[in-house]
Amino acid sequence: MTTAISRRERRISPVFLGLVAIMLVSAWAVWTDYSASPGFAVFLFVVSGWVVSLCLHEYAHARSALHSGDLSIGAKGYLTLNPLKYTHVALSIVLPVIFVIMGGIGLPGGAVFIERHRIQGRWRHSLISAAGPLTNVLFAAALTAPFWLGSADQVPLVFRFALAFLALLQVTAAILNFLPVPGLDGYGVIEPWLSHRIRRQVEPYAPFGLLAVFGILWIPEVNQVFFDAVDAIMRAMGVSQFDTYFGQEFFRFWQGEPQFPGLGS
């Protein structure tokens, strides 16, 4: 089914490779304490890692759609992992990064346009929608591996904090994406199983689903429940609130380096 996709349409974009390079170099700078400003190195690592995860999230949607029958994915450039090829670059890349900087929360955003009429079978439609947030889950599991494997003490402290905060973003993104709200992937998972009448009634509200979710998150009680759930998941993976807190504090390098016993100066 993928034979119609040319090598050029599958070639990884230099833009994505550049993002990976920034992530790796900044990770090295944090690990070795090479940077004169550990906070700035953490900032670069987290932002570049977050954008890389967004690219992988959308790639998972596109790849699943390709194997389900939508061969138009290749021509749209979605298989190159180039974020500039997304339908809404501002919604999918710029806005999520701004939310990370402002509030330390992983903002989901739809980006790839899938021609659903080319795809047969409700399970395939559900899998395409689930593939994105499942990528965030896998990314979070990989980032927290030193914690749940019991080897976090062998990781340099600031790098451990950076891993914890980046993993927190993945967890928040996965939870929000899996909400069965129109416009989010969670709704895309259940939509194929709904009646045509219900889908027609819900369709006009899809563009406002994400805004509604974040509006509800401003309610203190809801916000508390949400972050309690996030913290519970992080603890299950071996990551403490202490790690994620200092990860975010170092990330906000413009506020000055946090004071923490054992970091030297």
Side-chain angles (χ1 to χ4, degrees), residues 79-118:
L79 300 179
T80 67
L81 290 141
N82 184 354
L84 301 180
K85 295 291 185 179
Y86 296 155
T87 307
H88 302 291
V89 176
L91 177 62
S92 303
I93 300 296
V94 178
L95 198 58
V97 170
I98 291 175
F99 264 79
V100 168
I101 293 173
M102 291 177 57
I105 189 170
L107 171 72
V112 295
F113 175 71
I114 296 168
E115 298 184 17
R116 294 278 182 170
H117 65 276
R118 297 174 179 266

Side-chain angles (χ1 to χ4, degrees), residues 135-158:
T135 303
N136 294 111
V137 172
L138 292 175
F139 208 94
L143 291 168
T144 57
F147 297 90
W148 50 263
L149 288 175
S151 56
D153 291 341
Q154 302 174 26
V155 177
L157 200 57
V158 178

Side-chain angles (χ1 to χ4, degrees), residues 1-5 9 65-67 69-76 118:
M1 190 172 292
T2 60
T3 54
I5 305 299
E9 292 171 340
L66 172 67
H67 288 287
D70 184 4
L71 298 182
S72 70
I73 290 296
K76 296 184 178 79
R118 297 174 179 266

Side-chain angles (χ1 to χ4, degrees), residues 241-263:
Q241 286 184 327
F242 179 85
D243 292 308
T244 55
Y245 170 79
F246 275 100
Q248 186 170 17
E249 288 297 295
F250 273 97
F251 173 81
R252 294 173 172 169
F253 69 94
W254 55 90
Q255 297 179 353
E257 185 174 328
Q259 297 301 310
F260 177 76
L263 289 180

